[in-house]
Amino acid sequence: IAGITQAPTSQILAAGRRMTLRCTQDMRHNAMYWYRQDLGLGLRLIHYSNTAGTTGKGEVPDGYSVSRANTDDFPLTLASAVPSQTSVYFCATSGTGRFYEQYFGPGTRLTVT
Amino acid sequence: GQNIDQPTEMTATEGAIVQINCTYQTSGFNGLFWYQQHAGEAPTFLSYNVLDGLEEKGRFSSFLSRSKGYSYLLLKELQMKDSASYLCAVTDSNYQLIWGAGTKLIIKP
């Protein structure tokens, strides 16, 4: 593993189904984030975790949940998907850079039908 | 509320110079980032400003005026590969990043 990986790359999901988006890092960064990116709206923070064992809500947390059992993994779960959750989801980390800049995974493109 | 404004789209010519502006109104300020995002890819870090003034890094420079709530990204000697979206983001008083919607830059030969 090099950097941040996300799975799946893309997914088409029926409304009402449960889905977990996976994010794994090998950068040993403490902080991890989940964003969604929609055309014209920019990146919006869903949930974040400043360190293993802690999580917090971002700007648009409704309908999503996260867990942080260890440093490397930060899964995002949609308990019952709705069409408005169609988006591109990015996982990001920050930690040891000079400016604590965020590093992004490749993204998951999710379509809820 | 918190707000970051950037132009939606800009067009420039290969070899020229372009300036992308960003204005912000946030609860507190702990730094401003510029990221580049090519279509279908993840954002990548370009620059960081926390003090007023100009930061230069090769063909790219970023300027900050905290009193005016204003920043710009200056790209010189434009290349076709610079066609991308450029995202402005501000770290607020809670150290959360607030993102602008991004500026799509189109480079023409």
Side-chain angles (χ1 to χ4, degrees):
Chain A
I1 297 177
I4 304 167
T5 59
Q6 292 185 236
T9 301
S10 65
Q11 181 76 42
I12 299 174
L13 186 68
R17 297 297 296 269
R18 180 184 179 91
M19 175 76 189
T20 295
L21 307 185
R22 300 185 297 278
C23 175
T24 299
Q25 58 131 341
D26 66 355
M27 305 171 78
R28 309 306 296 172
H29 284 172
N30 284 326
M32 298 186 74
Y33 312 85
W34 274 106
Y35 290 96
R36 58 178 291 173
Q37 187 175 37
D38 302 292
L39 195 64
L41 292 180
L43 288 160
R44 291 184 291 169
L45 183 66
I46 304 170
H47 285 285
Y48 65 93
S49 169
N50 288 329
T51 189
T54 68
T55 62
K57 293 182 179 180
E59 179 186 358
V60 289
D62 294 343
Y64 306 94
S65 63
V66 292
S67 62
R68 186 88 183 277
N70 56 59
T71 298
D72 297 344
D73 301 298
F74 191 42
L76 176 74
T77 298
L78 289 68
S80 179
V82 296
S84 62
Q85 292 177 312
T86 294
S87 188
V88 179
Y89 290 86
F90 287 104
C91 176
T93 72
S94 69
T96 56
R98 283 186 302 155
F99 314 123
Y100 297 95
E101 67 267 31
Q102 293 188 8
Y103 297 84
F104 286 80
T108 293
R109 184 174 295 275
L110 181 66
T111 302
V112 182
T113 61
Chain B
Q2 309 206 87
N3 193 53
I4 296 181
D5 288 318
Q6 312 178 227
T8 302
E9 186 174 297
M10 299 181 70
T11 301
T13 304
E14 189 177 17
I17 299 172
V18 71
Q19 177 175 311
I20 302 173
N21 295 324
C22 170
T23 57
Y24 63 89
Q25 291 178 309
T26 57
S27 58
F29 178 85
N30 283 298
L32 184 145
F33 291 85
W34 284 96
Y35 279 75
Q36 181 190 59
Q37 186 177 25
H38 286 102
E41 297 183 7
T44 56
F45 169 77
L46 280 180
S47 68
Y48 174 75
N49 295 72
V50 66
L51 300 177
D52 290 351
L54 189 68
E55 294 282 342
E56 298 186 82
K57 189 190 297 184
R59 294 189 299 114
F60 292 7
S61 303
S62 56
F63 171 84
L64 174 67
S65 169
R66 289 173 296 171
S67 63
K68 296 182 179 178
Y70 168 70
S71 172
Y72 67 73
L73 181 69
L74 191 71
L75 292 74
K76 303 176 183 177
E77 302 170 11
L78 286 169
Q79 302 175 9
M80 297 303 293
K81 67 179 182 179
D82 297 330
S83 291
S85 289
Y86 292 85
L87 314 180
C88 174
V90 171
T91 306
D92 69 8
S93 56
N94 294 318
Y95 289 90
Q96 296 291 349
L97 266 182
I98 310 301
W99 295 84
T103 298
K104 182 179 181 180
L105 178 63
I106 300 168
I107 309 297
K108 294 185 175 180

